[in-house]
Amino acid sequence: SRSLTVNNVVKEYVAGTQVLKGISFEVSGRSTVAIIGPSGTGKSTLLRCINRLIEPTGGEILIAGRDITKLSGRELRQARHYIGMVFQEFNLVERLSVIENVLCGRLGFTSVWRAWLRKYHQEDIDRAFELIEKVGLGDFATARADSLSGGQRQRVGIARAVMQNPDIIMADEPTSSLDPKTSVEIMELLNEFSADQDIPLLINIHDVNLAKRFADRIIGMSEGHVVFDGKPEELKDEH
Ligand code: ADP
Ligand code: ADP
C-alpha cells in the first residue's frame, strides 16, 4: 500500500554532529502531513534523506514497504521515482511545453532530449493530457513553461509529480514563491490529488496557518527532534 515509514533516522553531515536525532513517523493512505518548525531544524535534511538525495547516517526509510536507505546506482535512481516531488521553484524545463514537462518527469535537460528519442506510449500521452486538464491547464498544454505564471507552473509541477504514479508526494515549500491567494489554490489542488488518488502527501511548509488549514496532521520539528505529532487543532500557538 502507499505508505512511508521513517524509523529512527539519524543524519550527521559532520561526524559527531547530529542534524537529525532519531526521527520516526509513519504516513499512509490519503493524508496531508505538514512538517513545520524553525529554520535550521532539519526539515530539508529529512526530505532529502527520504528522496535519497543524501544518505541517512542511521535508521530506516521504507516506501511502500521497500527500504530505500541502502540503495545505490541504478536501484537508487529507480527508487526516486517512488516519490513525486513538488518544488519551491517548480524546477520545470523552461524551454519545453507543459505537456513535455509532464511527460518527461523531473529529468535534467539532457535526459529530456534523450527521452524524446524514445517514443511515448499513447496511453502516457493521454494520461498527461488528462492530468493537465485536471490541474486546470487544459488550454495551455502546448504553451512553453516560461510563458506561465508561478501558480500555473506549480500546477504543471503537480501534474508532473502525479504522472509518475508515485507512492508518496513530497512538496518542499511548494507555496513560498506564490502570493497568498495562489498558495491557497495550490494547497487545495495538492489535497484534491491526495484524496483522489489515495496518495499520502508530505509537505515541508513554513506558513503555519496554511499548514493548520490544509493538513490533517502536523509534525513539528525542533533541533533535529520531532516535538509534536498530531492534529492541527491540538497544536498550541507557540509552535
Ligand atoms: P531546515 O530545513 O529546517 O531549515 P536544514 O535541514 O536545512 O533545516 O538544516 C539543518 C541543519 O543542518 C542546519 O544546522 C544546517 O546548517 C545543517 N546543514 C544543512 N545542510 C548541510 C550540509 N550540506 N552540510 C553541513 N551542514 C548542513
Ligand atoms: P539528470 O539525471 O538528467 O542529470 P536529475 O533527475 O538527476 O537529472 O536532476 C535534475 C535536477 O533536479 C537536479 O538539479 C537535481 O538536483 C534535481 N532533483 C532530481 N531529483 C530530485 C529529487 N528527488 N529531489 C530534489 N531534487 C531533485
Side-chain angles (χ1 to χ4, degrees), residues 25 27 31-35 201-204 215-219:
F25 61 89
V27 183
S31 57
T32 300
V33 181
I35 300 182
L201 181 60
L202 189 65
I203 310 180
N204 178 4
D216 39 50
R217 174 174 165 199
I218 290 182
I219 294 177

Side-chain angles (χ1 to χ4, degrees), residues 5-201:
T5 304
V6 174
N7 191 12
N8 203 22
V9 165
V10 171
K11 177 63 187 177
E12 301 180 347
Y13 289 104
V14 178
T17 309
Q18 294 187 344
V19 168
L20 300 178
K21 299 171 182 165
I23 303 285
S24 300
F25 61 89
E26 246 188 278
V27 183
S28 67
R30 75 164 74 164
S31 57
T32 300
V33 181
I35 300 182
I36 63 170
S39 74
T41 243
K43 302 182 299 297
S44 314
T45 300
L46 177 62
L47 258 60
R48 291 162 65 84
C49 284
I50 295 171
N51 71 28
R52 275 304 314 274
L53 283 184
I54 58 175
E55 188 174 351
T57 312
E60 285 181 326
I61 298 171
L62 309 180
I63 296 173
R66 299 162 297 211
D67 190 350
I68 54 127
T69 12
K70 286 165 194 80
L71 303 178
S72 61
R74 185 190 183 85
E75 284 180 324
L76 178 56
R77 281 196 300 278
Q78 179 66 38
R80 288 208 181 108
H81 290 254
Y82 305 158
I83 300 171
M85 276 299 296
V86 175
F87 301 93
Q88 177 176 351
E89 297 295 339
F90 325 124
N91 292 20
L92 304 183
V93 182
E94 296 291 325
R95 296 168 56 181
L96 295 184
S97 65
V98 168
I99 181 82
E100 287 164 312
N101 270 281
V102 172
L103 273 170
C104 291
R106 50 159 198 250
L107 301 167
F109 195 67
T110 42
S111 309
V112 169
W113 287 111
R114 249 182 277 129
W116 265 117
L117 299 177
R118 298 197 297 262
K119 264 243 173 206
Y120 284 103
H121 294 291
Q122 188 59 42
E123 64 196 53
D124 288 336
I125 296 171
D126 292 345
R127 168 131 172 97
F129 274 113
E130 187 191 313
L131 288 171
I132 290 166
E133 195 78 44
K134 269 197 183 160
V135 298
L137 293 178
D139 294 338
F140 296 88
T142 58
R144 263 169 61 144
D146 56 11
S147 71
L148 303 178
S149 70
Q152 289 172 327
R153 280 170 199 222
Q154 197 57 299
R155 288 168 185 274
V156 179
I158 293 169
R160 177 182 59 181
V162 176
M163 179 72 197
Q164 71 185 55
N165 194 23
D167 291 310
I168 177 166
I169 294 177
M170 285 209 305
D172 193 7
E173 301 277 4
T175 63
S176 337
S177 312
L178 305 173
D179 64 66
K181 180 171 168 284
T182 310
S183 296
V184 167
E185 289 167 10
I186 290 298
M187 291 302 296
E188 280 171 349
L189 191 64
L190 280 166
N191 265 352
E192 259 171 52
F193 269 108
S194 166
D196 195 48
Q197 319 257 325
D198 227 13
I199 307 178
L201 181 60

